[in-house]
Amino acid sequence: MPLPMAPDSPPVPHMPATYPAITKQAAVVIDGIITDVTSTSFADKIVITVTQAGRLAQWIHVPLDSPNPNFAEQHLPSGSDEDGLLPMAHLTPKTLLGGSTSERETVGQLYATQIASIIITKKPEEKRTILIGLGLSKFEANREAFYDTIDVVMKCL
């Protein structure tokens, strides 16, 4: 039963069914380091964090709604399995914080673009902005660690 309101109180807005935000978590060992992944879905954004040893050193955002109509057809996955592993070309990641070296920024944007591509592939109508926090202990080009990290992120989506 709702609590009675004072006569001069403004009406309380109805909270959407997605409140509170949906959060999923996973922890795995990648390249010998415990890696924690969290995904939180808000009404306007999807926030994903990938941390190792409690670090969170870089923030990247990727808008999913492309202002260029020529890229609209690229939201749909192609028929080739090999092409499905490539990040989508229309996505434009932007480093907000961190990325102190060009290598760190490039690797971070690769992770962000790949994660955003997976989200669009799973749900082509998705338009929310993706905000990704990375705190990887090693920022080197390690294919196995990259795929393992992307795999655990997919489990949290």
Side-chain angles (χ1 to χ4, degrees), residues 1-2 4 10-12 21 24-25 39 43 49-50 54 66 87 91 118 122 134 142 151:
M1 176 190 270
V12 178
K24 296 180 183 176
Q25 298 177 348
S39 170
T49 58
V50 180
S66 172
L91 297 172
I118 290 167
K122 287 179 80 171
L134 294 174
N142 179 339
D151 186 51

Side-chain angles (χ1 to χ4, degrees), residues 1-149:
M1 176 190 270
L3 295 173
M5 294 178 51
D8 57 344
S9 296
V12 178
H14 172 70
M15 295 305 254
T18 59
Y19 181 82
I22 298 169
T23 300
K24 296 180 183 176
Q25 298 177 348
V28 296
V29 176
I30 296 176
D31 207 18
I33 303 168
I34 296 173
T35 305
D36 296 301
V37 176
T38 303
S39 170
T40 306
S41 295
F42 294 96
D44 61 339
K45 289 180 181 46
I46 300 172
V47 179
I48 298 168
T49 58
V50 180
T51 63
Q52 294 178 329
R55 295 174 47 122
L56 202 51
Q58 186 177 11
W59 286 94
I60 302 164
H61 86 70
V62 185
L64 296 186
D65 55 343
S66 172
N68 187 342
N70 293 330
F71 290 122
E73 68 275 358
Q74 292 185 11
H75 283 276
L76 300 175
S78 68
S80 168
D81 286 341
E82 216 171 276
D83 288 346
L85 298 176
L86 297 174
M88 295 181 176
H90 74 282
L91 297 172
T92 54
K94 181 177 180 184
T95 302
L96 301 175
L97 296 169
S100 54
T101 65
S102 63
E103 180 185 12
R104 180 176 292 272
E105 185 167 5
T106 300
V107 172
Q109 290 186 357
L110 174 64
Y111 274 94
T113 306
Q114 187 66 44
I115 291 167
S117 295
I118 290 167
I119 291 170
I120 290 175
T121 301
K122 287 179 80 171
K123 193 174 177 185
E125 68 278 3
E126 184 63 70
K127 298 293 182 210
R128 291 178 285 179
T129 296
I130 309 301
L131 181 61
I132 299 168
L134 294 174
L136 303 175
S137 295
K138 300 176 188 175
F139 260 94
E140 47 194 49
N142 179 339
R143 181 182 296 225
E144 186 176 335
F146 176 79
Y147 286 130
D148 289 347
T149 303

